Amino acid sequence: MEAMTDIANAIVLLLNFIVVPGLSYGSQLALGALGITLIFGILRFANFAHGDTMAFGTMVTILVTWWLQSKGVSLGPLPTALLALPVGIVFTIAIMVATDKLVYQHYRHHKAVPVTFMIASMGVMFMMNGIVRFIIGPNDQRFLDGERFIVRARDFKASTGLSEGLSIKVSQGLTIVIAVLLVLALFWFLQRTRTGKAMRAYSDNEDLALLSGVNPDRVVLVTWILAAILATIAGTLYGLDKSFKPFTYLQLLLPMFAAAIVGGIGNPIGAILGGYVIAFSEVMVTYAYKKVFVYLLPGSLEPSSLMQLLSTDYKFAVSFIILVLVLLVKPTGILKGKVI
Amino acid sequence: MSSENKTKLAFAIVAGLLLIIGMAQSWSVALGIFNLCLISAVMALGVNMQWGYAGLLNVGIMGFAALGGMAAVLVSQAPVAAAWEAGWAKLLLAAIFFIATVIGTRFCYRKMSPGRHRTISMTAIIIIGLLLTRYWLDPAVASIEAIESAKTGFLGGMGLPIIFSWIFGGFVAAGIAWVIGKVALGLRADYLAIATLGISEIIIAVMKNEDWLTRGVKNVTGLSRPVPYEIDLQSSEWFINLVSWWHSGALSALNEADQAELLKQAVIESSSIFVKLCYSGLFASVLVIVLLLSVKALNSPWGRMMRAIRDNEIAAGAMGKDVTRRHLEIFVIGSAVVGVAGAMLTTLDGQFTPTSYQPLRFTFLIWVMVIVGGSGNNMGSVLGGFLIWVIWIEAEPVGVWLMQFGTSWMDEGNAVRIHLIDNAQHMRLFFMGLVLLLVLRFSPGGILPEVVRKRS
């Protein structure tokens, strides 16, 4: 019986500190990486402005949330930000489409090399970053309201009698549910609708798609719209889960790129897989396993150190070590991506 | 306009801007900006070698600049004898195990035939090697960091004059660039960009966390200087004589008491300007040396080969040029130049703060300099370094001033007005992006485009 409780405690520890955070962070990364991978597949460049697009969409959502909160609107247990999200998405779509018309379209018509697009996206990144910091400031903003937890550690301990607690935040639960729904919708769109099929054809072989009558402008427009939706939702979920700070969103660019490439860039399923691979490795490599071993091993074998592979500060480094390894060993990513 | 006249005109405009700043704000501010312009120009030259000559997209500039900064610490700080004593043996063992791991992995990779056996043995070597390394490194780190952690808590440096770090910084950056280049240069342009971006973040993460080496986020302050201190100048006779000679016109018109007062004021002001001028002299010499070498290299057969590789790798390869080696070569040289600039920057700051390295400022801003100045043109990079740095610094006061002017019709206490004025400084990011996009669109070669010599 004693042994059973120890094992249960160890499992709860892992669930609480690895599985739940890994799943929610992974979902956020996956949504971001999907946007990057879509743009890479259709427009064929690595979009450095994606992190700041997320920040922009989240910023609009936050502003609308604050306005709603000041009017006394609330969703009860759910965060008010969900009501504000559509407005954020609309604004982000508008700014993405405008950017495409003002910046990228010119290079597309002149058949510029991908590197030019990429440098242009750095310019867009600067401008977006400036706008976001100008409007909402560079500081941390919190906008979560409603219920905080689905499962509280204290309640969990009381009902199971274990000494380790499991807590699941509303934001984590929401992230996972919304991510699943969104991904299902996206795949339905890409597989079943005419426009989705046109997009996949365009991504696969541009010339052949054009010959078959695919309208390139429409494909590009829909890509930006999808990327804007994904970015805003991913950004808002991340902001609800942790907090919103423009600089953090710029830094998110790195693990998102890593997720897209590790999974196989241009491949949507790969982006999702990559998101979870990156998130789980970040969490697992930086978690201190001492307590788990204390539960599982007999007293004489208890480890003296923290049993932590890398200190938490190396979180971002982990994603890149994986990225570099994948690029070296299997440059197409885990699932075969587009071109190398 | 001929390209030579255009160059002259462009630099005249930048000089004019600096003069205006000097007269409108103060000469000390203008000189401070000028010094950072010089450093930026060196950095931009390094990036231009990689991108402009060879078409390598290195988005990891921040990492190399930080390596240069670290070199400044490692060269100039006095060694901490107690820490060395406590940790050297274990540290040495850790290093031996680490090197053995690398060599063992390489050996496996080279000598065994590809397949499951190789993968398994390589993984085993890496895991066992790293565990052994950690086994010795962890206690070494603990004992080093335990020694006076509030004051030192790291190994210290070599205790040499800091100016040597400019050379050492170049070598450190070159060494790391060699390793990175070996690993990442085979990648396609956009993958290389993302990989270098990530590697630079890893470098910064290491500096923030390996306290035994860099003191981490505890920072290293009070680095020694290659130039005199203001306080020493203010008490040295020759300097006071120099200042009184310079101001002799103004001084002779006053009575004795006022004279002494004015002289004291002038000495304090001039001492800070004098120190900045000393830095300018040092930085300008480095810039001139790097620029001369770059111009020479770009016009040599080697430079032509680089451009040939950049314009058509396959053709250059078919002509017998070793593309991979040349890429590695230019990647190392360019990174070394960035490392030198990074060491100069830390020297000027007098402190090493790993948290201050942010990609927008240290990577992307340098890219804006290279693209706006003119990639492939050395003078263009120098111009970009100067112009963009001036805009970057001056966008803040100008932005605030514009906001104040634009909102002057609102109430003093209007919340919107206060917000606009408070946040106006962030508009400089916006302006940077705008400048980059405008140049990229309407003058893709930059302000001073690459000069293509036509065969007559």
Side-chain angles (χ1 to χ4, degrees):
Chain A
M1 195 57 219
E2 183 82 5
M4 286 299 289
T5 349
D6 274 352
I7 292 174
N9 270 324
I11 291 174
V12 170
L13 256 181
L14 291 180
L15 274 179
N16 194 31
F17 288 103
I18 292 183
V19 176
V20 174
L23 273 181
S24 64
Y25 181 45
S27 311
Q28 289 148 11
L29 282 187
L31 292 184
L34 267 176
I36 287 182
T37 236
L38 277 180
I39 292 175
F40 193 92
I42 306 285
L43 294 136
R44 296 173 213 291
F45 73 95
N47 184 14
F48 273 72
H50 202 73
D52 287 297
T53 310
M54 273 169 64
F56 180 86
T58 314
M59 176 195 71
V60 177
T61 312
I62 293 177
L63 293 178
V64 177
T65 308
W66 285 345
W67 179 75
L68 286 174
Q69 285 169 346
S70 73
K71 294 273 173 244
V73 182
S74 100
L75 271 180
L78 293 176
T80 319
L82 289 185
L83 271 183
L85 199 51
V87 186
I89 291 175
V90 169
F91 270 87
T92 316
I93 290 175
I95 202 158
M96 293 283 257
V97 172
T99 324
D100 183 64
K101 290 273 173 289
L102 290 172
V103 180
Y104 300 118
Q105 198 180 45
H106 170 82
Y107 301 110
R108 206 160 47 243
H109 288 171
H110 286 77
K111 299 238 176 283
V113 288
V115 170
T116 311
F117 280 93
M118 204 160 92
I119 295 174
S121 81
M122 287 183 198
V124 175
M125 175 185 83
F126 262 107
M127 292 181 77
M128 291 268 231
N129 202 297
I131 293 174
V132 171
R133 286 179 194 221
F134 180 65
I135 295 179
I136 203 164
N139 303 322
D140 249 329
Q141 312 286 351
R142 296 196 63 90
F143 57 108
L144 177 69
D145 53 3
E147 203 66 49
R148 291 247 349 199
F149 288 98
I150 302 175
V151 178
R152 270 174 206 281
R154 206 176 335 121
D155 302 345
F156 183 84
K157 281 187 205 168
S159 60
T160 56
L162 293 174
S163 52
E164 292 300 329
L166 174 70
S167 74
I168 303 175
K169 288 193 281 182
V170 170
S171 54
Q172 290 170 328
L174 263 182
T175 299
I176 296 166
V177 171
I178 292 180
V180 169
L181 292 178
L182 196 60
V183 166
L184 286 179
L186 180 72
F187 278 94
W188 174 81
F189 176 80
L190 289 177
Q191 303 289 339
R192 296 297 152 106
T193 63
R194 235 185 127 69
T195 321
K197 284 177 184 165
M199 278 175 67
R200 288 194 297 133
Y202 188 87
S203 156
D204 222 29
N205 187 334
E206 189 179 336
D207 294 330
L208 201 59
L210 293 180
L211 276 176
S212 320
V214 166
N215 178 356
D217 292 332
R218 193 178 146 82
V219 166
V220 169
L221 182 73
V222 174
T223 308
W224 283 117
I225 293 175
L226 289 178
I229 296 173
L230 289 165
T232 312
I233 295 180
T236 306
L237 291 175
Y238 185 87
L240 284 173
D241 196 11
K242 279 131 192 162
S243 74
F244 174 81
K245 191 179 182 187
F247 180 65
T248 323
Y249 280 62
L250 178 69
Q251 277 196 320
L252 271 182
L253 189 64
L254 305 170
M256 288 191 311
F257 268 136
I261 293 176
V262 166
I265 199 157
N267 182 337
I269 301 175
I272 299 166
L273 185 68
Y276 290 113
V277 168
I278 296 291
F280 272 99
S281 11
E282 279 191 14
V283 180
M284 284 165 74
V285 172
T286 56
Y287 178 65
Y289 290 93
K290 183 179 178 179
K291 262 181 125 180
V292 180
F293 283 107
V294 169
Y295 279 119
L296 292 183
L297 296 175
S300 55
L301 283 176
E302 268 175 25
S304 56
S305 70
L306 281 173
M307 300 299 284
Q308 188 181 21
L309 284 172
L310 276 176
S311 93
T312 352
D313 310 281
Y314 280 116
K315 232 177 73 176
F316 276 117
V318 172
S319 51
F320 268 89
I321 293 168
I322 298 172
L323 170 66
V324 171
L325 282 180
V326 166
L327 283 177
L328 287 175
V329 180
K330 203 169 184 300
T332 44
I334 300 172
L335 303 177
K336 204 167 156 28
K338 280 211 76 65
V339 270
I340 285 284
Chain B
M1 205 181 333
S2 81
S3 72
E4 205 161 301
N5 282 339
K6 206 171 158 189
T7 310
K8 281 181 190 151
L9 180 71
F11 276 98
I13 291 174
V14 173
L17 283 175
L18 282 169
L19 284 178
I20 292 173
I21 294 168
M23 287 190 276
Q25 289 177 283
S26 83
W27 290 106
S28 187
V29 170
L31 264 178
I33 296 177
F34 179 67
N35 282 342
L36 279 162
C37 282
L38 290 168
I39 296 177
S40 305
V42 176
M43 245 185 232
L45 274 174
V47 177
N48 184 39
M49 288 175 195
Q50 297 176 337
W51 169 243
Y53 303 5
L56 290 178
L57 203 66
N58 174 7
V59 193
I61 305 158
M62 172 178 74
F64 297 107
L67 284 171
M70 187 183 79
V73 172
L74 295 184
V75 166
S76 73
Q77 284 299 95
V80 182
W84 275 104
E85 221 161 90
W88 75 270
K90 292 171 202 151
L91 213 53
L92 188 69
L93 276 172
I96 290 172
F97 277 116
F98 183 74
I99 294 168
T101 313
V102 173
I103 294 175
T105 319
R106 257 182 82 92
F107 182 79
C108 258
Y109 184 75
R110 286 273 170 88
K111 298 284 166 179
M112 292 176 78
S113 48
R116 187 170 294 164
H117 284 289
R118 189 174 78 169
T119 320
I120 292 173
S121 20
M122 274 172 67
T123 322
I125 291 178
I126 291 175
I127 291 177
I128 296 171
L130 288 186
L131 282 178
L132 281 172
T133 310
R134 280 282 302 261
Y135 181 76
W136 291 108
L137 186 65
D138 286 351
V141 168
S143 49
I144 291 169
E145 286 173 8
I147 288 167
E148 287 198 78
S149 62
K151 258 171 74 191
T152 53
F154 76 133
L155 284 175
M158 299 184 246
L160 295 172
I162 197 165
I163 201 142
F164 288 116
S165 75
W166 299 3
I167 300 167
F168 185 63
F171 278 108
V172 172
I176 302 287
W178 186 80
V179 176
I180 297 173
K182 271 283 185 197
V183 173
L185 277 183
L187 302 171
R188 222 184 47 177
D190 22 9
Y191 285 80
L192 179 65
I194 296 165
T196 45
L197 182 69
I199 290 168
S200 72
E201 289 287 349
I202 295 178
I203 293 176
I204 302 295
V206 170
M207 287 183 186
K208 280 185 193 162
N209 293 298
E210 300 306 317
D211 288 18
W212 58 277
L213 185 64
T214 61
R215 275 201 100 211
V217 287
K218 287 184 283 181
N219 304 334
V220 181
T221 51
L223 294 179
S224 62
R225 268 189 184 181
V227 298
Y229 285 86
E230 285 92 344
I231 201 89
D232 296 337
L233 281 177
Q234 286 161 19
S235 55
S236 58
E237 201 168 328
W238 65 269
F239 186 72
I240 298 174
N241 288 339
L242 184 75
V243 175
S244 63
W245 170 77
W246 181 263
H247 291 276
S248 52
L251 285 171
S252 59
L254 297 168
N255 65 37
E256 215 140 283
D258 286 348
Q259 250 180 23
E261 188 55 37
L262 183 70
L263 186 62
K264 205 175 146 202
Q265 205 61 43
V267 165
I268 291 174
E269 265 170 37
S270 325
S271 66
S272 109
I273 290 185
F274 183 81
V275 167
K276 283 183 176 151
L277 275 176
C278 289
Y279 274 123
S280 307
L282 289 174
F283 295 157
S285 342
V286 174
L287 177 61
V288 168
I289 293 170
V290 174
L291 182 64
L292 283 179
L293 290 176
S294 313
V295 170
K296 206 97 190 122
L298 191 60
N299 293 326
S300 68
W302 180 84
R304 275 199 297 281
M305 172 178 64
M306 282 300 172
R307 278 171 285 156
I309 291 175
R310 175 195 65 191
D311 292 337
N312 193 336
E313 269 179 38
I314 297 166
M319 301 299 285
K321 304 299 176 201
D322 190 341
V323 176
T324 322
R325 274 195 79 99
R326 295 288 91 75
H327 273 170
L328 186 61
E329 200 171 274
I330 197 91
F331 189 73
V332 167
I333 297 174
S335 304
V337 172
V338 175
V340 171
M344 285 169 24
L345 187 67
T346 305
T347 308
L348 179 67
D349 287 343
Q351 56 179 352
F352 177 66
T353 44
T355 41
S356 68
Y357 291 97
Q358 300 204 346
L360 273 183
R361 153 74 181 87
F362 281 92
T363 295
F364 294 109
L365 192 66
I366 311 296
W367 266 95
V368 177
M369 290 171 184
V370 175
I371 303 284
V372 169
S375 39
N377 182 333
N378 290 313
M379 288 315 280
S381 302
V382 177
L383 175 75
F386 273 75
L387 187 66
I388 294 299
W389 187 259
V390 170
I391 297 178
W392 176 253
I393 291 299
E394 286 303 308
E396 199 175 319
V398 171
V400 172
W401 180 81
L402 276 178
M403 279 299 161
Q404 260 161 357
F405 183 74
T407 59
S408 53
W409 51 273
M410 291 186 194
D411 276 344
E412 268 304 310
N414 188 319
V416 175
R417 179 170 187 222
I418 292 172
H419 178 89
L420 285 177
I421 293 172
D422 277 353
N423 282 329
Q425 46 163 325
H426 300 300
M427 287 309 273
R428 68 183 187 184
L429 294 165
F430 183 85
F431 283 125
M432 274 306 125
L434 192 64
V435 169
L436 176 65
L437 287 178
L438 287 177
V439 168
L440 198 62
R441 171 77 176 264
F442 297 106
S443 170
I447 299 174
L448 302 175
E450 186 180 355
V451 186
V452 182
R453 267 189 298 179
K454 294 251 162 51
R455 211 173 272 224
S456 52

